[in-house]
Amino acid sequence: MDRHESHESREGHESHVSPDGLPRVELTPAAADLLRVLRGRHGPLMFHQSGGCCDGSAPMCYPDGEFRTGDSDVLLASLTVAGVTEPIPFWMSKIQYEAWRHTRLIVDVVPGRGGGFSLEAPEGVRFLIRSRVVGAWPPTPGELR
């Protein structure tokens, strides 16, 4: 996909809404705050979660278009963040998606450095996925902090 091509025009991507009508990917307020900071420093952003072990199973945040997506990836969401002009696409590898297709993903931020090239690493924090089985709602108290 050309980085200037609309993410919405991509054929074959999964619905942004789970079968129970809720978004497949959500952000905690802490994650939204960090994304506003990163957007101010780096411009438009994107997420990709590839699967695998260790940091490969953590969501990685890149400048939009910096991580090349293709037929082996699924666009799960175009995240809207107050104060960020454009939506932030959230991609996942198809193999990882097959294992997680019945979950709602909640992007959170925790202290500590993750590995890799994710943009939040210099901030001393890392993005983390919390998940809930589709249909398991509402969240437990304090989950979406």
Side-chain angles (χ1 to χ4, degrees), residues 4-143:
H4 301 290
E5 179 182 340
S6 166
H7 293 290
E8 298 302 320
S9 69
R10 174 97 180 235
E11 292 184 56
H13 70 268
E14 291 292 327
S15 169
H16 294 204
V17 177
S18 64
D20 59 4
L22 296 169
R24 287 194 179 273
V25 183
E26 299 175 72
L27 299 168
T28 64
D33 288 345
L34 181 57
L35 287 169
R36 280 187 281 278
V37 169
L38 295 174
R39 169 57 175 92
R41 290 186 186 148
H42 302 282
L45 305 170
M46 68 179 289
F47 276 107
H48 189 273
Q49 185 163 343
S50 63
C53 71
C54 309
D55 288 325
S57 56
M60 298 290 182
C61 184
Y62 301 102
D64 192 23
E66 182 86 11
F67 187 93
R68 188 170 212 113
T69 58
D71 292 338
S72 62
D73 299 296
V74 176
L75 177 61
L76 290 184
S78 292
L79 302 168
T80 301
V81 178
V84 173
T85 308
E86 64 286 320
I88 300 171
F90 189 102
W91 294 89
M92 181 179 278
S93 72
K94 278 186 181 178
I95 292 170
Q96 180 80 355
Y97 177 71
E98 287 304 316
W100 288 34
R101 74 180 311 131
H102 301 294
T103 59
R104 179 173 306 104
L105 306 177
I106 302 162
V107 181
D108 200 359
V109 176
V110 295
R113 280 187 58 114
F117 301 101
S118 195
L119 292 175
E120 80 281 4
E123 306 296 320
V125 295
R126 62 188 179 94
F127 287 110
L128 173 82
I129 290 291
R130 300 183 189 283
S131 62
R132 298 196 54 81
V133 175
V134 171
W137 194 256
T140 57
E143 183 175 14

